[in-house]
PDB file of all heavy atoms in Angstrom:
ATOM      1  N   THR S1478       0.073  -9.146  14.266  1.00 38.00           N
ATOM      2  CA  THR S1478       0.030  -8.957  12.822  1.00 38.00           C
ATOM      3  C   THR S1478       1.372  -9.271  12.237  1.00 38.00           C
ATOM      4  O   THR S1478       1.645  -8.925  11.125  1.00 38.00           O
ATOM      5  CB  THR S1478      -0.392  -7.622  12.460  1.00 38.00           C
ATOM      6  OG1 THR S1478       0.569  -6.708  13.092  1.00 38.00           O
ATOM      7  CG2 THR S1478      -1.732  -7.317  12.908  1.00 38.00           C
ATOM      8  N   VAL S1479       2.236  -9.926  13.020  1.00 38.00           N
ATOM      9  CA  VAL S1479       3.615  -9.926  12.596  1.00 38.00           C
ATOM     10  C   VAL S1479       4.084 -11.290  12.184  1.00 38.00           C
ATOM     11  O   VAL S1479       3.597 -12.262  12.861  1.00 38.00           O
ATOM     12  CB  VAL S1479       4.468  -9.396  13.788  1.00 38.00           C
ATOM     13  CG1 VAL S1479       5.957  -9.482  13.370  1.00 38.00           C
ATOM     14  CG2 VAL S1479       4.135  -8.032  14.042  1.00 38.00           C
ATOM     15  N   ASP S1480       4.815 -11.414  11.234  1.00 38.00           N
ATOM     16  CA  ASP S1480       5.452 -12.746  10.921  1.00 38.00           C
ATOM     17  C   ASP S1480       6.713 -12.849  11.807  1.00 38.00           C
ATOM     18  O   ASP S1480       7.594 -12.043  11.840  1.00 38.00           O
ATOM     19  CB  ASP S1480       5.922 -12.726   9.438  1.00 38.00           C
ATOM     20  CG  ASP S1480       7.083 -13.711   9.260  1.00 38.00           C
ATOM     21  OD1 ASP S1480       6.910 -14.737   9.883  1.00 38.00           O
ATOM     22  OD2 ASP S1480       8.011 -13.385   8.531  1.00 38.00           O
ATOM     23  N   THR S1482       9.047 -14.808  11.768  1.00 36.00           N
ATOM     24  CA  THR S1482      10.298 -15.456  11.361  1.00 36.00           C
ATOM     25  C   THR S1482      11.059 -14.644  10.339  1.00 36.00           C
ATOM     26  O   THR S1482      12.094 -15.022   9.900  1.00 36.00           O
ATOM     27  CB  THR S1482       9.967 -16.818  10.651  1.00 36.00           C
ATOM     28  OG1 THR S1482       8.995 -16.649   9.815  1.00 36.00           O
ATOM     29  CG2 THR S1482       9.593 -17.794  11.721  1.00 36.00           C
ATOM     30  N   THR S1485      14.736 -14.300  11.163  1.00 36.00           N
ATOM     31  CA  THR S1485      15.594 -15.477  11.646  1.00 36.00           C
ATOM     32  C   THR S1485      16.619 -15.847  10.687  1.00 36.00           C
ATOM     33  O   THR S1485      17.551 -16.515  11.077  1.00 36.00           O
ATOM     34  CB  THR S1485      14.714 -16.643  11.921  1.00 36.00           C
ATOM     35  OG1 THR S1485      13.964 -16.862  10.777  1.00 36.00           O
ATOM     36  CG2 THR S1485      13.821 -16.388  13.158  1.00 36.00           C
ATOM     37  N   GLN S1486      16.507 -15.531   9.471  1.00 36.00           N
ATOM     38  CA  GLN S1486      17.521 -16.098   8.511  1.00 36.00           C
ATOM     39  C   GLN S1486      18.657 -15.120   8.302  1.00 36.00           C
ATOM     40  O   GLN S1486      19.441 -15.271   7.355  1.00 36.00           O
ATOM     41  CB  GLN S1486      16.830 -16.468   7.228  1.00 36.00           C
ATOM     42  CG  GLN S1486      16.099 -15.374   6.550  1.00 36.00           C
ATOM     43  CD  GLN S1486      14.678 -15.405   7.087  1.00 36.00           C
ATOM     44  OE1 GLN S1486      14.206 -16.384   7.435  1.00 36.00           O
ATOM     45  NE2 GLN S1486      14.069 -14.155   7.278  1.00 36.00           N
ATOM     46  N   ASP S1652      -5.302  -5.656  32.562  1.00 79.00           N
ATOM     47  CA  ASP S1652      -6.480  -5.728  33.384  1.00 79.00           C
ATOM     48  C   ASP S1652      -6.256  -5.375  34.824  1.00 79.00           C
ATOM     49  O   ASP S1652      -7.045  -4.723  35.521  1.00 79.00           O
ATOM     50  CB  ASP S1652      -7.049  -7.185  33.140  1.00 79.00           C
ATOM     51  CG  ASP S1652      -8.485  -7.239  33.745  1.00 79.00           C
ATOM     52  OD1 ASP S1652      -9.157  -6.199  33.665  1.00 79.00           O
ATOM     53  OD2 ASP S1652      -8.888  -8.261  34.163  1.00 79.00           O
ATOM     54  N   TYR S1653      -5.101  -5.778  35.306  1.00 76.00           N
ATOM     55  CA  TYR S1653      -4.789  -5.646  36.758  1.00 76.00           C
ATOM     56  C   TYR S1653      -4.201  -4.353  37.059  1.00 76.00           C
ATOM     57  O   TYR S1653      -4.479  -3.785  38.070  1.00 76.00           O
ATOM     58  CB  TYR S1653      -3.921  -6.746  37.299  1.00 76.00           C
ATOM     59  CG  TYR S1653      -4.776  -7.946  37.635  1.00 76.00           C
ATOM     60  CD1 TYR S1653      -4.712  -9.130  36.944  1.00 76.00           C
ATOM     61  CD2 TYR S1653      -5.633  -7.873  38.719  1.00 76.00           C
ATOM     62  CE1 TYR S1653      -5.395 -10.301  37.243  1.00 76.00           C
ATOM     63  CE2 TYR S1653      -6.326  -9.013  39.051  1.00 76.00           C
ATOM     64  CZ  TYR S1653      -6.270 -10.168  38.359  1.00 76.00           C
ATOM     65  OH  TYR S1653      -7.035 -11.237  38.682  1.00 76.00           O
ATOM     66  N   TYR S1675      11.998 -11.645  21.622  1.00 89.00           N
ATOM     67  CA  TYR S1675      12.396 -12.193  20.300  1.00 89.00           C
ATOM     68  C   TYR S1675      13.597 -11.446  19.811  1.00 89.00           C
ATOM     69  O   TYR S1675      14.576 -12.091  19.351  1.00 89.00           O
ATOM     70  CB  TYR S1675      11.252 -12.085  19.313  1.00 89.00           C
ATOM     71  CG  TYR S1675      11.643 -12.701  17.965  1.00 89.00           C
ATOM     72  CD1 TYR S1675      11.721 -14.123  17.926  1.00 89.00           C
ATOM     73  CD2 TYR S1675      11.905 -11.998  16.852  1.00 89.00           C
ATOM     74  CE1 TYR S1675      12.189 -14.737  16.742  1.00 89.00           C
ATOM     75  CE2 TYR S1675      12.300 -12.554  15.647  1.00 89.00           C
ATOM     76  CZ  TYR S1675      12.390 -13.975  15.653  1.00 89.00           C
ATOM     77  OH  TYR S1675      12.785 -14.570  14.504  1.00 89.00           O
ATOM     78  N   LEU S1740     -10.135  -4.646  23.008  1.00 87.00           N
ATOM     79  CA  LEU S1740     -10.703  -5.410  24.123  1.00 87.00           C
ATOM     80  C   LEU S1740     -11.139  -4.477  25.203  1.00 87.00           C
ATOM     81  O   LEU S1740     -11.723  -4.829  26.275  1.00 87.00           O
ATOM     82  CB  LEU S1740      -9.687  -6.377  24.711  1.00 87.00           C
ATOM     83  CG  LEU S1740      -9.273  -7.581  23.820  1.00 87.00           C
ATOM     84  CD1 LEU S1740      -8.180  -8.361  24.446  1.00 87.00           C
ATOM     85  CD2 LEU S1740     -10.551  -8.349  23.494  1.00 87.00           C
ATOM     86  N   ARG S1770     -23.316  -4.845  11.485  1.00 80.00           N
ATOM     87  CA  ARG S1770     -24.671  -5.197  11.219  1.00 80.00           C
ATOM     88  C   ARG S1770     -25.508  -4.061  10.596  1.00 80.00           C
ATOM     89  O   ARG S1770     -26.271  -4.243   9.695  1.00 80.00           O
ATOM     90  CB  ARG S1770     -25.322  -5.619  12.511  1.00 80.00           C
ATOM     91  CG  ARG S1770     -26.573  -6.379  12.369  1.00 80.00           C
ATOM     92  CD  ARG S1770     -26.953  -7.037  13.686  1.00 80.00           C
ATOM     93  NE  ARG S1770     -27.111  -8.466  13.531  1.00 80.00           N
ATOM     94  CZ  ARG S1770     -27.379  -9.234  14.554  1.00 80.00           C
ATOM     95  NH1 ARG S1770     -27.473  -8.694  15.794  1.00 80.00           N
ATOM     96  NH2 ARG S1770     -27.462 -10.501  14.376  1.00 80.00           N
ATOM     97  N   THR S1789       1.716  -2.878   6.579  1.00 89.00           N
ATOM     98  CA  THR S1789       2.332  -3.277   5.285  1.00 89.00           C
ATOM     99  C   THR S1789       3.571  -2.401   5.030  1.00 89.00           C
ATOM    100  O   THR S1789       4.587  -2.872   4.635  1.00 89.00           O
ATOM    101  CB  THR S1789       1.308  -3.129   4.167  1.00 89.00           C
ATOM    102  OG1 THR S1789       0.107  -3.753   4.498  1.00 89.00           O
ATOM    103  CG2 THR S1789       1.860  -3.704   2.922  1.00 89.00           C
ATOM    104  N   ARG S1805      20.931 -12.720  -0.335  1.00 63.00           N
ATOM    105  CA  ARG S1805      20.335 -13.857  -1.038  1.00 63.00           C
ATOM    106  C   ARG S1805      18.828 -13.704  -1.177  1.00 63.00           C
ATOM    107  O   ARG S1805      18.304 -14.237  -2.174  1.00 63.00           O
ATOM    108  CB  ARG S1805      20.473 -15.089  -0.220  1.00 63.00           C
ATOM    109  CG  ARG S1805      21.930 -15.655  -0.171  1.00 63.00           C
ATOM    110  CD  ARG S1805      21.786 -16.933   0.490  1.00 63.00           C
ATOM    111  NE  ARG S1805      23.052 -17.439   1.029  1.00 63.00           N
ATOM    112  CZ  ARG S1805      23.184 -18.602   1.567  1.00 63.00           C
ATOM    113  NH1 ARG S1805      22.187 -19.369   1.642  1.00 63.00           N
ATOM    114  NH2 ARG S1805      24.346 -19.049   2.020  1.00 63.00           N
ATOM    115  N   LEU S1823      11.799 -16.816 -16.619  1.00 51.00           N
ATOM    116  CA  LEU S1823      12.332 -17.293 -15.396  1.00 51.00           C
ATOM    117  C   LEU S1823      11.402 -18.338 -14.840  1.00 51.00           C
ATOM    118  O   LEU S1823      10.699 -18.106 -13.873  1.00 51.00           O
ATOM    119  CB  LEU S1823      12.511 -16.241 -14.389  1.00 51.00           C
ATOM    120  CG  LEU S1823      13.742 -15.294 -14.550  1.00 51.00           C
ATOM    121  CD1 LEU S1823      13.633 -14.115 -13.597  1.00 51.00           C
ATOM    122  CD2 LEU S1823      14.915 -16.044 -14.408  1.00 51.00           C
ATOM    123  N   SER S1826      13.976 -22.037 -11.620  1.00 58.00           N
ATOM    124  CA  SER S1826      15.021 -21.113 -11.209  1.00 58.00           C
ATOM    125  C   SER S1826      16.346 -21.885 -11.031  1.00 58.00           C
ATOM    126  O   SER S1826      17.315 -21.295 -10.566  1.00 58.00           O
ATOM    127  CB  SER S1826      14.592 -20.433  -9.951  1.00 58.00           C
ATOM    128  OG  SER S1826      14.131 -21.421  -9.011  1.00 58.00           O
TER     129      SER S1826
ATOM    130  N   TRP N 397      10.455 -21.062  -5.756  1.00 83.00           N
ATOM    131  CA  TRP N 397      10.778 -21.893  -6.960  1.00 83.00           C
ATOM    132  C   TRP N 397      10.549 -21.273  -8.233  1.00 83.00           C
ATOM    133  O   TRP N 397      11.306 -21.241  -9.116  1.00 83.00           O
ATOM    134  CB  TRP N 397      10.226 -23.294  -6.770  1.00 83.00           C
ATOM    135  CG  TRP N 397      10.922 -24.240  -7.653  1.00 83.00           C
ATOM    136  CD1 TRP N 397      10.636 -24.628  -8.899  1.00 83.00           C
ATOM    137  CD2 TRP N 397      12.224 -24.907  -7.462  1.00 83.00           C
ATOM    138  NE1 TRP N 397      11.484 -25.493  -9.449  1.00 83.00           N
ATOM    139  CE2 TRP N 397      12.505 -25.648  -8.480  1.00 83.00           C
ATOM    140  CE3 TRP N 397      13.089 -24.861  -6.350  1.00 83.00           C
ATOM    141  CZ2 TRP N 397      13.655 -26.352  -8.584  1.00 83.00           C
ATOM    142  CZ3 TRP N 397      14.276 -25.616  -6.364  1.00 83.00           C
ATOM    143  CH2 TRP N 397      14.533 -26.365  -7.552  1.00 83.00           C
ATOM    144  N   ARG N 399       9.479 -18.090 -10.488  1.00 65.00           N
ATOM    145  CA  ARG N 399       9.445 -16.625 -10.420  1.00 65.00           C
ATOM    146  C   ARG N 399       8.731 -16.039 -11.588  1.00 65.00           C
ATOM    147  O   ARG N 399       8.484 -16.774 -12.613  1.00 65.00           O
ATOM    148  CB  ARG N 399      10.834 -16.102 -10.332  1.00 65.00           C
ATOM    149  CG  ARG N 399      11.295 -16.113  -8.885  1.00 65.00           C
ATOM    150  CD  ARG N 399      12.649 -15.552  -8.825  1.00 65.00           C
ATOM    151  NE  ARG N 399      13.669 -16.616  -9.106  1.00 65.00           N
ATOM    152  CZ  ARG N 399      14.853 -16.394  -9.557  1.00 65.00           C
ATOM    153  NH1 ARG N 399      15.216 -15.168  -9.860  1.00 65.00           N
ATOM    154  NH2 ARG N 399      15.703 -17.364  -9.755  1.00 65.00           N
ATOM    155  N   GLN N 414      -0.881 -10.147   6.275  1.00 83.00           N
ATOM    156  CA  GLN N 414      -0.169 -10.343   7.522  1.00 83.00           C
ATOM    157  C   GLN N 414      -0.378  -9.109   8.380  1.00 83.00           C
ATOM    158  O   GLN N 414      -0.431  -9.203   9.615  1.00 83.00           O
ATOM    159  CB  GLN N 414       1.346 -10.426   7.279  1.00 83.00           C
ATOM    160  CG  GLN N 414       1.932 -11.726   7.643  1.00 83.00           C
ATOM    161  CD  GLN N 414       3.404 -11.635   7.304  1.00 83.00           C
ATOM    162  OE1 GLN N 414       3.644 -11.568   6.152  1.00 83.00           O
ATOM    163  NE2 GLN N 414       4.241 -11.739   8.279  1.00 83.00           N
ATOM    164  N   THR N 432     -24.896 -11.867   9.721  1.00 81.00           N
ATOM    165  CA  THR N 432     -25.131 -10.604  10.414  1.00 81.00           C
ATOM    166  C   THR N 432     -24.557  -9.538   9.629  1.00 81.00           C
ATOM    167  O   THR N 432     -24.579  -8.297  10.100  1.00 81.00           O
ATOM    168  CB  THR N 432     -24.574 -10.605  11.813  1.00 81.00           C
ATOM    169  OG1 THR N 432     -23.215 -10.979  11.723  1.00 81.00           O
ATOM    170  CG2 THR N 432     -25.325 -11.636  12.679  1.00 81.00           C
ATOM    171  N   ALA N 484       7.703 -16.761   5.658  1.00 89.00           N
ATOM    172  CA  ALA N 484       8.846 -17.453   6.357  1.00 89.00           C
ATOM    173  C   ALA N 484       9.366 -18.525   5.492  1.00 89.00           C
ATOM    174  O   ALA N 484      10.606 -18.670   5.254  1.00 89.00           O
ATOM    175  CB  ALA N 484       8.323 -18.060   7.617  1.00 89.00           C
ATOM    176  N   GLN N 488      13.136 -18.773   3.677  1.00 89.00           N
ATOM    177  CA  GLN N 488      13.956 -19.943   3.898  1.00 89.00           C
ATOM    178  C   GLN N 488      14.320 -20.644   2.680  1.00 89.00           C
ATOM    179  O   GLN N 488      15.451 -21.106   2.459  1.00 89.00           O
ATOM    180  CB  GLN N 488      13.291 -20.913   4.897  1.00 89.00           C
ATOM    181  CG  GLN N 488      13.219 -20.354   6.299  1.00 89.00           C
ATOM    182  CD  GLN N 488      14.583 -20.075   6.955  1.00 89.00           C
ATOM    183  OE1 GLN N 488      15.578 -20.538   6.471  1.00 89.00           O
ATOM    184  NE2 GLN N 488      14.634 -19.094   7.911  1.00 89.00           N
ATOM    185  N   VAL N 490      14.395 -19.480  -0.380  1.00 85.00           N
ATOM    186  CA  VAL N 490      15.382 -18.718  -1.260  1.00 85.00           C
ATOM    187  C   VAL N 490      16.723 -18.951  -0.717  1.00 85.00           C
ATOM    188  O   VAL N 490      17.717 -19.123  -1.427  1.00 85.00           O
ATOM    189  CB  VAL N 490      14.985 -17.246  -1.238  1.00 85.00           C
ATOM    190  CG1 VAL N 490      16.111 -16.428  -1.856  1.00 85.00           C
ATOM    191  CG2 VAL N 490      13.675 -17.065  -1.949  1.00 85.00           C
ATOM    192  N   THR N 491      16.955 -18.903   0.577  1.00 85.00           N
ATOM    193  CA  THR N 491      18.222 -19.118   1.182  1.00 85.00           C
ATOM    194  C   THR N 491      18.811 -20.495   0.931  1.00 85.00           C
ATOM    195  O   THR N 491      19.928 -20.718   0.546  1.00 85.00           O
ATOM    196  CB  THR N 491      18.200 -18.812   2.714  1.00 85.00           C
ATOM    197  OG1 THR N 491      17.443 -17.634   2.881  1.00 85.00           O
ATOM    198  CG2 THR N 491      19.539 -18.630   3.294  1.00 85.00           C
ATOM    199  N   ASN N 526      10.909 -22.135  14.640  1.00 83.00           N
ATOM    200  CA  ASN N 526      10.302 -20.862  15.042  1.00 83.00           C
ATOM    201  C   ASN N 526       8.814 -20.961  15.303  1.00 83.00           C
ATOM    202  O   ASN N 526       8.133 -19.991  15.407  1.00 83.00           O
ATOM    203  CB  ASN N 526      10.534 -19.848  13.946  1.00 83.00           C
ATOM    204  CG  ASN N 526      11.850 -19.156  14.147  1.00 83.00           C
ATOM    205  OD1 ASN N 526      12.218 -18.820  15.281  1.00 83.00           O
ATOM    206  ND2 ASN N 526      12.621 -18.908  13.062  1.00 83.00           N
ATOM    207  N   ILE N 529       6.804 -18.897  18.091  1.00 81.00           N
ATOM    208  CA  ILE N 529       6.375 -17.587  17.934  1.00 81.00           C
ATOM    209  C   ILE N 529       5.114 -17.454  17.097  1.00 81.00           C
ATOM    210  O   ILE N 529       4.110 -16.761  17.441  1.00 81.00           O
ATOM    211  CB  ILE N 529       7.452 -16.725  17.206  1.00 81.00           C
ATOM    212  CG1 ILE N 529       8.648 -16.646  18.123  1.00 81.00           C
ATOM    213  CG2 ILE N 529       6.959 -15.360  16.873  1.00 81.00           C
ATOM    214  CD1 ILE N 529       9.973 -16.700  17.375  1.00 81.00           C
ATOM    215  N   LEU N 533       1.317 -15.969  18.246  1.00 87.00           N
ATOM    216  CA  LEU N 533       0.592 -15.043  17.392  1.00 87.00           C
ATOM    217  C   LEU N 533      -0.789 -15.516  16.977  1.00 87.00           C
ATOM    218  O   LEU N 533      -1.782 -14.801  17.036  1.00 87.00           O
ATOM    219  CB  LEU N 533       1.403 -14.570  16.192  1.00 87.00           C
ATOM    220  CG  LEU N 533       2.660 -13.835  16.419  1.00 87.00           C
ATOM    221  CD1 LEU N 533       3.476 -13.522  15.231  1.00 87.00           C
ATOM    222  CD2 LEU N 533       2.305 -12.440  17.098  1.00 87.00           C
ATOM    223  N   ILE N 543     -13.954 -13.463  19.789  1.00 91.00           N
ATOM    224  CA  ILE N 543     -14.741 -12.297  20.299  1.00 91.00           C
ATOM    225  C   ILE N 543     -15.688 -11.801  19.221  1.00 91.00           C
ATOM    226  O   ILE N 543     -16.889 -11.591  19.531  1.00 91.00           O
ATOM    227  CB  ILE N 543     -13.819 -11.245  20.883  1.00 91.00           C
ATOM    228  CG1 ILE N 543     -13.085 -11.748  22.082  1.00 91.00           C
ATOM    229  CG2 ILE N 543     -14.581  -9.967  21.231  1.00 91.00           C
ATOM    230  CD1 ILE N 543     -11.864 -10.950  22.496  1.00 91.00           C
ATOM    231  N   LEU N 558     -13.618 -10.620  31.369  1.00 83.00           N
ATOM    232  CA  LEU N 558     -13.015  -9.319  31.603  1.00 83.00           C
ATOM    233  C   LEU N 558     -14.160  -8.355  31.815  1.00 83.00           C
ATOM    234  O   LEU N 558     -14.116  -7.471  32.660  1.00 83.00           O
ATOM    235  CB  LEU N 558     -12.242  -8.868  30.382  1.00 83.00           C
ATOM    236  CG  LEU N 558     -10.808  -9.452  30.204  1.00 83.00           C
ATOM    237  CD1 LEU N 558     -10.284  -9.040  28.888  1.00 83.00           C
ATOM    238  CD2 LEU N 558      -9.938  -8.893  31.332  1.00 83.00           C
ATOM    239  N   GLN N 567      -8.018 -15.240  35.317  1.00 87.00           N
ATOM    240  CA  GLN N 567      -6.681 -15.820  35.658  1.00 87.00           C
ATOM    241  C   GLN N 567      -6.634 -17.257  35.289  1.00 87.00           C
ATOM    242  O   GLN N 567      -5.603 -17.724  34.762  1.00 87.00           O
ATOM    243  CB  GLN N 567      -6.514 -15.743  37.182  1.00 87.00           C
ATOM    244  CG  GLN N 567      -5.623 -14.560  37.505  1.00 87.00           C
ATOM    245  CD  GLN N 567      -5.664 -14.386  39.050  1.00 87.00           C
ATOM    246  OE1 GLN N 567      -6.635 -13.992  39.553  1.00 87.00           O
ATOM    247  NE2 GLN N 567      -4.609 -14.915  39.635  1.00 87.00           N
TER     248      GLN N 567
END
Side-chain angles (χ1 to χ4, degrees):
Chain S
T1478 55
V1479 176
D1480 156 41
T1482 48
T1485 52
Q1486 53 276 326
D1652 193 28
Y1653 274 112
Y1675 185 71
L1740 293 176
R1770 196 169 237 176
T1789 310
R1805 286 190 200 184
L1823 283 174
S1826 49
Chain N
W397 196 261
R399 275 180 273 153
Q414 242 178 297
T432 54
Q488 289 301 336
V490 169
T491 315
N526 272 319
I529 296 143
L533 292 173
I543 294 165
L558 280 174
Q567 259 172 286

